[in-house]
Amino acid sequence: MRKPFLTFSAFVALSAALVAQSPEPPLAETRLTVSTLLREDVFAGFLQKDLARLSRAEKNIDLLLASRPGERASVIAWQGSATLTRAVFANEDKRADEFQKQYQRALDLFAEAKRLGPESIPVLAITGGSMVMLTDRLPAAERAARWEQAYDAYQQLWKLQSAAIEKLPLHHKGEVLSGLAQAMERTGRTTELGPQLARILTLLPDTPYAKRAQQWKDDPASRPQSSVACQTCHGPGTLASRLAEISKQSN
């Protein structure tokens, strides 16, 4: 039971050590998606409780809402993720009124993102991923509904991407499959979970996802206290890497 925790802690520690290397997101660079521009700062917020990075993401979200009308649904979904992170922090700090305020705002933002992009892959991925990463940190009374929301988001992602799932990059493929498995476990869908774990073992052999899926298969009692998802979570460096690629293309 201790090994998964240590593995996750090592990832967080590594991310924290590298966090200062993140460049200022170039919002005017239209070759970068809003997710590439915002993801690392939002992740630094909920993984390391880096309030400066979370605040930078929130500032950039406001700017992108004005400058990227075509990606409004995705931007609002990221705004929902940042706001849900604020709600989690308020809950953990026992600030009940602030939690309720931020939590309701987060739900409204996710609902608006879904209204604007009901079949948007970024919206579904941001929504599902946010719920997978943060729901277990919410008050117990709120978790069932949010895990259902995660399940619905990943079910839609699976329907949209299953035909091409084997061609997706490891992280995208892994998060669709494992996010759905995580939501199945947390919502008590045990009859669906077995085949889903088998699918992970088949489609993602020799990966961290397969290792955790095998642990879940072998030790069902470990599932409520561990995660099969986010085994290749976005660490720092993605934005810098994409900027380097764009620089090479421009030369």
Side-chain angles (χ1 to χ4, degrees):
M1 292 299 295
R2 296 177 65 85
K3 188 175 180 181
F5 175 77
L6 291 172
T7 300
F8 178 77
S9 297
F11 169 77
V12 172
L14 176 61
S15 298
L18 296 175
V19 96
Q21 299 179 17
S22 177
E24 182 73 31
L27 302 190
E29 179 50 80
T30 56
R31 287 174 291 183
L32 297 176
T33 67
V34 297
S35 290
T36 300
L37 293 167
L38 296 170
R39 179 188 295 116
E40 286 184 40
D41 283 342
V42 176
F43 270 60
F46 64 68
L47 285 176
Q48 289 101 38
K49 201 172 183 179
D50 188 328
L51 299 183
R53 294 284 297 279
L54 185 61
S55 294
R56 183 169 78 172
E58 291 166 329
K59 177 198 73 174
N60 288 337
I61 284 168
D62 289 338
L63 294 171
L64 288 167
L65 283 172
S67 65
R68 300 277 191 106
E71 294 183 83
R72 185 173 180 82
S74 297
V75 179
I76 291 176
W78 280 115
Q79 192 172 36
S81 185
T83 306
L84 187 61
T85 300
R86 294 283 185 185
V88 163
F89 293 162
N91 177 57
E92 292 173 342
D93 294 340
K94 302 188 187 311
R95 292 180 283 120
D97 291 345
E98 181 67 11
F99 165 74
Q100 289 297 336
K101 174 184 174 182
Q102 297 288 359
Y103 182 61
Q104 187 57 57
R105 180 169 182 256
L107 298 186
D108 292 343
L109 288 165
F110 282 121
E112 176 65 5
K114 184 176 182 180
R115 185 187 70 80
L116 292 171
E119 293 190 341
S120 164
I121 287 175
V123 168
L124 293 170
I126 296 162
T127 302
S130 299
M131 299 305 164
V132 162
M133 291 299 296
L134 294 169
T135 293
D136 283 345
R137 297 168 65 181
L138 292 171
E142 306 296 339
R143 293 174 194 166
R146 302 288 68 80
W147 277 117
E148 285 292 337
Q149 189 171 2
Y151 178 80
D152 290 344
Y154 279 111
Q155 276 282 45
Q156 290 184 67
L157 275 176
W158 175 245
K159 289 177 183 178
L160 292 169
Q161 296 188 310
S162 58
I165 194 73
E166 294 187 51
K167 299 177 182 178
L168 294 177
L170 172 61
H171 175 77
H172 295 83
K173 175 168 50 178
E175 288 308 310
V176 171
L177 293 170
S178 66
L180 184 53
Q182 184 90 10
M184 288 173 177
E185 192 282 327
R186 295 298 197 265
T187 57
R189 291 177 167 88
T190 54
T191 57
E192 297 179 41
L193 180 58
Q196 185 68 7
L197 293 177
R199 186 177 287 125
I200 292 172
L201 291 168
T202 299
L203 296 178
L204 298 165
D206 303 316
T207 67
Y209 297 102
K211 182 178 180 180
R212 184 57 57 83
Q214 189 65 53
Q215 290 174 350
W216 273 29
K217 183 178 178 181
D218 295 341
D219 183 15
S222 71
R223 297 170 185 171
Q225 291 79 39
S226 62
S227 173
V228 73
C230 205
Q231 298 302 306
T232 61
C233 245
H234 293 284
T238 304
L239 176 57
S241 177
R242 285 290 294 121
L243 288 173
E245 290 175 12
I246 288 173
S247 178
K248 288 181 181 179
Q249 293 168 4
S250 301
N251 294 333

